[in-house]
Amino acid sequence: MRYAAILLLFLLVNTTGGWAQSTLNGTIRDSLTQKPLELASVFLANTTYGASTNASGQFTIKNVPAGPYDLIVSYVGYQLFKRRITVGNGAQPLELLLTPSAQQLKGVTVRPNPNRESDYQKFAETFLGRTSFSRQCRIRNPDAVLVAFDAEQNQLTASSPTFVQVDNDALGYRVKYYGLEFTLNFKQQYVSFYGWPVFEEMTPRRNKQRQRWLTNREKAYRGSLTHFLKSVRDNDLAQQGFLVRKLRIVPNPRFARTDSLRKALLRARRNQALTAAEMDSIDRWVKMPPNFSMLYMAERPIDSLRRAEFTPKRVYLRFSDYLQVSYLREAPDPLYQPARPFGAPPGPVARPIRQISLLTLTQPEVEILPNGQLVEPLAVLTDEYWAFEKMGELLPLDYQPPPSTTPR
């Protein structure tokens, strides 16, 4: 099944990309007894920065770049702790209190997960993705995922009371995805999921594997939404290999005028009171698209994509309608199957030779930070190639690509 508009959401940490670095340290305690909690996991979401507490409940995270982060603390028997913090210069001691979970207070017995195998497989396939890199990802704790299907809503949902661990052997990361909230809506044809992932570098078995991971990480970054947004902020789209055009989705007036007739014909077909000619007519109405896409061939000027302030420098993504974003330096993944465009005639869809994505805003504008992240990640919707890429291409926000070389 191909989703016409796929929404992929992460609650991302927003780092400034500055050079200043700091040390985070603090103590984790029980909110009721004030007892220090040993071996609590403390991390900055969507990065590789993290630590565990010692016997005194203390932790230290060194060399953290300045900027805003989501600080997450996980400990068995306690509610997941979340706090937005801003890292500045110098040491920043924190005193954090964890609340016992309801299961711990009431002594609730944890029962086996009653997931249906087919529901879980659909979740796993959609969550991990269908790319070549996604095929090298594995969920290591499937029993931690709770999947449910609502027949009335025609919707599959999934969550986890702890975390979902994904080992990505394509990029060399072990990802623990906390607070998962996943929705796959078959009726409205969209998928969304969000949470707080933390990354751990896997240990390569040999240097050849390490080099493969480095190569694949750069491949996952080049042409990604993060790469594109950073290029918009830095005003070097063409130098980075991006071509941006405006796309409008407009209603098909003929479809609107004939919709009532189409419905009448379909009712007649259910009653089996149609001639062969009338059946052919139904087929034509059914195939008529409700919308058409209009692509403007001129490349969009940078001022139509962003609003910039220079004292201090702040850049906002801002545009109307849709953007068609082509990445010209890399072919699509061999497993990518493009969707049929609005209004396209029946038959096979031509395979693109470039990575082509669609982007639209859910609000008038959103700030882009220096590392290519958005202050509000939920402000954008992606479709086509960016919607195709999922966990297989997910990188931590502290990933630094090698310097760009001569354009390919």
Side-chain angles (χ1 to χ4, degrees):
M1 182 177 184
R2 173 69 170 114
Y3 301 97
I6 297 186
L7 174 63
L8 176 59
L9 307 176
F10 299 95
L11 300 186
L12 298 179
V13 179
N14 297 314
T15 61
T16 64
W19 294 105
Q21 293 185 334
S22 298
T23 296
L24 283 179
N25 56 67
T27 303
I28 311 293
R29 299 180 185 277
D30 184 298
S31 62
L32 300 179
T33 66
Q34 300 299 308
K35 177 183 177 181
L37 300 177
E38 183 181 6
L39 298 179
S41 297
V42 187
F43 59 88
L44 302 179
N46 218 67
T47 74
T48 57
Y49 300 113
S52 296
T53 55
N54 59 20
S56 300
Q58 298 173 336
F59 68 90
T60 299
I61 305 177
K62 298 181 179 180
N63 302 321
V64 180
Y69 293 88
D70 285 328
L71 176 71
I72 310 296
V73 182
S74 174
Y75 194 73
V76 176
Y78 289 78
Q79 296 178 16
L80 188 68
F81 179 93
K82 304 179 289 291
R83 177 186 291 181
R84 174 59 62 93
I85 65 170
T86 299
V87 176
N89 297 326
Q92 295 180 260
L94 298 168
E95 294 290 332
L96 307 177
L97 300 177
L98 300 194
T99 303
S101 64
Q103 287 85 352
Q104 184 188 42
L105 293 174
K106 297 179 182 179
V108 175
T109 301
V110 178
R111 293 179 174 82
N113 183 359
N115 292 340
R116 289 197 313 172
E117 181 64 23
S118 59
D119 289 343
Y120 174 80
Q121 290 301 327
K122 176 59 68 175
F123 154 75
E125 181 183 70
T126 307
F127 177 64
L128 296 178
R130 300 176 176 85
T131 69
S132 298
F133 287 171
S134 293
R135 288 191 170 186
Q136 300 177 59
C137 295
R138 297 290 182 272
I139 297 176
R140 294 302 185 188
N141 58 339
D143 290 341
V145 183
L146 304 177
V147 183
F149 178 72
D150 186 326
E152 182 176 348
Q153 297 291 328
N154 198 14
Q155 179 171 281
L156 188 75
T157 58
S159 61
S160 174
T162 54
F163 59 83
V164 182
Q165 179 176 318
V166 177
D167 288 359
N168 186 340
D169 194 49
L171 304 184
Y173 289 117
R174 177 169 293 112
V175 184
K176 291 184 178 179
Y177 206 98
Y178 290 86
L180 173 69
E181 293 294 338
F182 171 96
T183 301
L184 172 57
N185 190 294
F186 298 96
K187 183 178 181 180
Q188 299 181 29
Q189 297 189 338
Y190 74 86
V191 57
S192 69
F193 59 89
Y194 58 88
W196 294 273
V198 60
F199 291 76
E200 176 188 345
E201 296 255 7
M202 297 170 66
T203 303
R205 292 184 293 273
R206 56 186 66 87
N207 187 61
K208 183 178 180 180
Q209 185 180 47
R210 178 179 180 276
Q211 291 302 318
R212 178 174 67 86
W213 287 345
L214 295 177
T215 299
N216 287 348
R217 290 173 189 177
E218 182 180 3
K219 183 179 178 67
Y221 176 81
R222 302 296 179 191
S224 66
L225 177 61
T226 300
H227 184 197
F228 167 74
L229 293 173
K230 189 176 189 309
S231 300
V232 171
R233 192 183 193 282
D234 296 342
N235 190 15
D236 63 349
L237 285 166
Q239 298 92 319
Q240 294 297 321
F242 290 102
L243 172 64
V244 183
R245 296 186 174 116
K246 180 178 179 177
L247 183 77
R248 292 188 64 196
I249 306 297
V250 296
N252 179 354
R254 188 181 179 192
F255 179 89
R257 289 194 301 268
T258 60
D259 190 47
S260 60
L261 175 59
R262 179 181 65 90
K263 291 178 180 178
L265 289 171
L266 289 172
R267 286 195 297 269
R269 181 171 67 175
R270 286 194 292 270
N271 296 330
Q272 297 181 345
L274 297 176
T275 66
E278 289 170 331
M279 289 293 292
D280 290 341
S281 178
I282 285 182
D283 289 339
R284 286 196 296 273
W285 295 129
V286 170
K287 294 174 182 176
M288 180 180 295
N291 300 294
F292 287 118
S293 58
M294 297 175 57
L295 179 64
Y296 295 73
M297 297 307 294
E299 183 174 358
R300 300 305 298 163
I302 190 65
D303 289 342
S304 70
L305 307 177
R306 69 175 201 168
R307 179 175 68 87
E309 299 174 355
F310 297 100
T311 54
K313 183 176 181 180
R314 301 180 72 177
V315 178
Y316 299 83
L317 184 68
R318 184 179 67 176
F319 60 89
S320 58
D321 295 305
Y322 290 78
L323 295 183
Q324 185 197 72
V325 182
S326 300
Y327 185 59
L328 306 178
R329 297 184 183 172
E330 192 174 286
D333 187 291
L335 299 179
Y336 177 60
Q337 296 295 325
R340 183 181 304 282
F342 289 120
V349 179
R351 180 176 173 79
I353 61 173
R354 304 299 184 195
Q355 298 175 10
I356 301 176
S357 303
L358 290 184
L359 184 69
T360 189
L361 287 169
T362 62
Q363 59 191 52
E365 64 180 15
V366 58
E367 185 177 356
I368 309 173
L369 295 171
N371 65 348
Q373 299 303 314
L374 298 174
V375 168
E376 176 49 72
L378 308 186
V380 299
L381 301 180
T382 62
D383 197 5
E384 296 194 8
Y385 199 77
W386 283 336
F388 169 67
E389 297 182 320
K390 294 200 175 60
M391 289 297 293
E393 289 69 33
L394 186 61
L395 292 165
L397 296 188
D398 50 306
Y399 170 75
Q400 294 291 330
S404 298
T405 56
T406 303
R408 289 170 280 178

